[in-house]
Amino acid sequence: MSPQTLTMLEALRAGMAHMLETDDSVVLMGEDVGRSGGIFRTSTGLAQRFGGNRVIDTPLDEKGIVAHAIGMALYGLRPIVEMQFSGFIHDAFEHIMFCAARYRWASGGQYSCPLVIRSPSFGGIKGGFWHSQSAEAYFFHHGGIKVLSPSTPEDAYRMMIAAVQDPDPVLLLEPVPLYRSMSAEFDTDGVPAEFGEARIVRPGADATLLAYGPIVHECERVADTLAASGGAEVEVIDLRSLMPYDVETILASVRKTGRVVIAHEAPVTMGFGAELAAVLQEKAFGYLRAPIDRVGAPDVPYHFSIGDEMYRPTASNIRAGITRVTEFAF
């Protein structure tokens, strides 16, 4: 198969199309996903190609959509559910975490719930309260669900396939600001991503910069700029899979650099960075040559009135974090 150049949005659509084509148990459902192709047009053409029984328009009811999808999954289907925006996922939280994520455990392994929840997430689109959230931390704490966050079109394609093939619920945090702003060439060969596998975006020996989602690219630009100016050589790691996450790749980098900055769009307080910092303190304390630095959002709701640049990590405050850890001396 020849490589194709796809945007992030087209890659997600290609992943869904592959699974709809190769597995008759796969269905896509959500508000406007059929005839209109979804609010971002991610599923454009799929209803026409696979029919209304497999690409299903639903009422405006996130809790009801997920509840129905769970029932369908328990009876042998593999639903893919779109939440439109990450801020709307909270209405379905009870069904996701207290039903879908617990069936395997509640049944002693007799039942599984193969369900994919697509959550268009993250800021940078001048969105309001419900349109730019990073809700990942809510889902880490309860267990029973995998959480993935692609930052490239190829990862989006392969993560979609892996998520649908998984026997348990998977939350896919899709980077809305990259939907149409990023494209890449790769083989649409149906090969799934591996869960729990991080990617070293660029190597470096002076500090480790951990990130995921759309902010990975800002981190890479900062690291490249620093290196070009003769500054620190920063190793940038895209975590990709957040639950489970790749502890070994992180530890190997930190043992080499001894200095760590964690950047994410979610608020710093009790965000995913807190978990990463705690694990590094536990498993790599003897290698650390500076306190771990976290760069993230303030503890306020995201809203366009604040300004994306005031909420999301910018090149300036990512660079400031790197400076703090590289210039620190005991």
Side-chain angles (χ1 to χ4, degrees), residues 1 63 82-83 108 126 141 158 205 234 244 274 276 287 322:
M1 179 174 291
K63 179 182 284 187
E82 182 185 278
M83 286 285 106
K126 307 296 182 189
H141 193 60
R158 302 196 186 286
V234 179
L276 297 172
Y287 295 91
I322 294 170

Side-chain angles (χ1 to χ4, degrees), residues 31-107:
E31 297 154 6
D32 297 325
V33 300
R35 191 170 181 178
S36 298
I39 189 166
F40 294 104
R41 305 297 182 259
T42 317
S43 53
T44 293
L46 297 184
Q48 292 76 11
R49 181 175 170 187
F50 296 100
N53 288 332
R54 300 191 62 201
V55 181
I56 305 166
D57 279 322
T58 67
L60 192 68
D61 178 10
E62 284 76 17
K63 179 182 284 187
I65 297 167
V66 173
H68 282 83
I70 290 170
M72 294 162 76
L74 292 175
Y75 277 86
L77 296 179
R78 289 180 178 271
I80 305 169
V81 169
E82 182 185 278
M83 286 285 106
Q84 284 207 340
F85 288 98
S86 56
F88 300 156
I89 202 170
H90 307 92
D91 195 39
F93 186 83
E94 177 187 1
H95 283 300
I96 296 170
M97 299 313 300
F98 294 94
C99 296
R102 297 197 173 188
Y103 270 109
R104 178 177 291 283
W105 308 93
S107 67

Side-chain angles (χ1 to χ4, degrees), residues 132-148:
S132 301
Q133 296 193 349
S134 299
E136 56 269 28
Y138 300 151
F139 297 91
F140 296 148
H141 193 60
H142 288 252
I145 188 168
K146 299 178 181 71
V147 183
L148 309 176

Side-chain angles (χ1 to χ4, degrees), residues 232-273:
E233 288 288 347
V234 179
E235 183 152 285
V236 180
I237 296 180
D238 178 3
L239 296 174
R240 304 169 73 236
S241 175
L242 309 186
M243 184 60 71
Y245 60 93
D246 189 347
V247 176
E248 291 309 315
T249 295
I250 297 169
L251 290 177
S253 178
V254 173
R255 289 178 186 129
K256 178 174 62 176
T257 66
R259 304 173 192 274
V260 187
V261 176
I262 304 165
H264 55 57
E265 290 195 25
V268 168
T269 303
M270 299 187 188
F272 187 38

Side-chain angles (χ1 to χ4, degrees), residues 4-25:
Q4 296 185 61
T5 299
L6 300 177
T7 64
M8 178 75 75
L9 189 148
E10 291 167 337
L12 289 163
R13 184 189 305 145
M16 289 190 286
H18 175 80
M19 292 312 303
L20 285 161
E21 188 170 31
T22 56
D23 187 343
D24 290 340
S25 69

